[in-house]
Amino acid sequence: MTELSIELLEDRFDRGELTFRDVDVYIVQEVRRRVRQEAGKLLERWDKRLLEGRDKGRYKYVGVDKREVEGFAGTVSFSRRRYRDVETGRSVYLLDERLKLEKSRRVSPGLA
């Protein structure tokens, strides 16, 4: 299905071709898009809290990596920080660990 834009809705309305179904589809698309955006922002905010509250002696900041996870509203994109755990020598993402999000999982556990 083609993603509807407000401009397309306006054009269809002006030509008398707009249906309530078009409006309904547009609203659902917009809600899903906004939910994905807000979910990404929320995850990044939590990741920053983990940065600030981490054990700095144990977790050395290495960099930021992007991740995408398919959720109920569609694909949520976010960045999270990678650390080196000096006790184990392994790379870790504190956000992923906190949320119990498996390394290779690309689909939300709620959808699996």
Side-chain angles (χ1 to χ4, degrees), residues 15-75:
R15 292 186 318 218
E17 299 172 357
L18 186 68
T19 67
F20 187 80
R21 182 183 183 286
D22 295 330
V23 175
D24 200 30
V25 167
Y26 172 75
I27 290 168
V28 169
Q29 286 176 178
E30 271 303 295
V31 167
R32 289 174 51 129
R33 183 184 65 78
R34 290 180 184 184
V35 166
R36 289 190 306 267
Q37 285 178 339
E38 291 304 313
K41 289 177 188 176
L42 180 62
L43 292 166
E44 289 175 359
R45 188 168 64 238
W46 286 341
D47 187 62
K48 184 175 182 188
R49 285 175 48 191
L50 292 169
L51 166 73
E52 294 165 353
R54 78 187 190 283
D55 177 345
K56 293 178 181 147
R58 179 172 179 185
Y59 298 106
K60 299 298 179 190
Y61 173 75
V62 175
V64 175
D65 295 314
K66 297 226 179 254
R67 179 151 191 194
E68 292 184 340
V69 177
E70 188 70 25
F72 290 108
T75 303

Side-chain angles (χ1 to χ4, degrees), residues 66-84:
K66 297 226 179 254
R67 179 151 191 194
E68 292 184 340
V69 177
E70 188 70 25
F72 290 108
T75 303
V76 176
S77 301
F78 58 99
S79 297
R80 79 269 199 254
R81 290 165 181 84
R82 182 169 30 100
Y83 304 90
R84 187 173 67 76

